[in-house]
């Protein structure tokens, strides 16, 4: 019993106190074991809650990034439609539209790469 109490006080939450034939010692062991089991259950619940928070944060980040990508892609599609429509008045306007479309495409590419890199890192962290 003394060793079990010492191990528990040192932070070993996997130790269970032995039961003795003496009634009082049995009650102490039963109550101590119940306390340890409750502590382990609380710890498991806290870990599960933390994982859920991490998962919710990951999902929110992905949703926000996808919305940004969708907005950027819609703007790029509008630029391409303008280029197709021949509604530009001179070569400078045409060149400007090409540059804007190219800039938006580069931005989308960077956002996708960042999303991929971040989700890989998030998955690595949550696996540990």
């Amino acid at each position: 019993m003394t060793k079990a109490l010492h191990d528990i006080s040192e932070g070993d939450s996997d130790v269970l106190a032995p039961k003795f034939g003496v009634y009082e010692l049995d009650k102490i062991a039963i109550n101590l074991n119940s306390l340890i089991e409750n502590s382990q259950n609380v710890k498991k619940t806290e870990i599960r809650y933390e994982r859920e928070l991490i998962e919710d944060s990951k999902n929110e980040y992905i949703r926000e990034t996808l919305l940004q990508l969708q907005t950027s892609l819609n703007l790029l599609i509008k630029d391409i439609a303008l280029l197709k429509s021949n509604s530009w008045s001179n070569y400078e306007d045409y060149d400007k539209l090409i540059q804007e479309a190219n800039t938006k495409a580069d931005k989308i590419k960077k956002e996708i790469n960042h999303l991929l890199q971040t989700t890989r890192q998030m998955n690595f962290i949550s696996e540990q």
Side-chain angles (χ1 to χ4, degrees):
M1 176 69 90
T2 304
K3 180 171 177 4
L5 288 172
H6 178 275
D7 291 346
I8 292 167
S9 72
E10 293 293 317
D12 188 350
S13 62
D14 293 327
V15 174
L16 297 177
K19 295 181 183 179
F20 293 99
V22 180
Y23 177 73
E24 288 80 14
L25 290 177
D26 279 347
K27 283 184 80 171
I28 291 171
I30 289 168
N31 289 326
L32 187 58
N33 290 340
S34 177
L35 177 65
I36 291 167
E37 289 170 3
N38 287 339
S39 174
Q40 290 171 340
N41 288 336
V42 166
K43 193 173 196 174
K44 287 176 186 175
T45 301
E46 287 174 349
I47 290 170
R48 188 172 43 250
Y49 179 70
E50 286 175 10
R51 286 184 179 158
E52 288 173 2
L53 283 176
I54 290 169
E55 194 64 29
D56 288 347
S57 296
K58 283 174 29 177
N59 290 336
E60 181 63 23
Y61 169 78
I62 291 169
R63 272 192 299 275
E64 291 291 325
T65 304
L66 288 174
L67 283 172
Q68 291 173 357
L69 284 169
Q70 185 179 32
T71 300
S72 297
L73 183 59
N74 286 337
L75 292 171
L76 178 60
I77 290 169
K78 286 180 182 180
D79 285 350
I80 292 170
L82 280 172
L83 288 167
K84 284 178 163 182
S85 71
N86 293 329
S87 63
W88 33 274
S89 56
N90 58 41
Y91 182 76
E92 288 174 3
D93 289 343
Y94 175 80
D95 191 47
K96 184 178 176 185
L97 277 173
I98 292 284
Q99 288 176 8
E100 287 176 10
N102 193 35
T103 300
K104 289 172 186 168
D106 286 342
K107 180 181 178 190
I108 292 169
K109 181 180 177 184
K110 286 177 186 176
E111 288 175 357
I112 290 171
N113 287 336
H114 186 260
L115 176 62
L116 290 171
Q117 181 182 11
T118 304
T119 53
R120 276 190 220 115
Q121 290 171 347
M122 287 176 171
N123 288 332
F124 176 75
I125 291 169
S126 65
E127 290 172 2
Q128 292 181 342

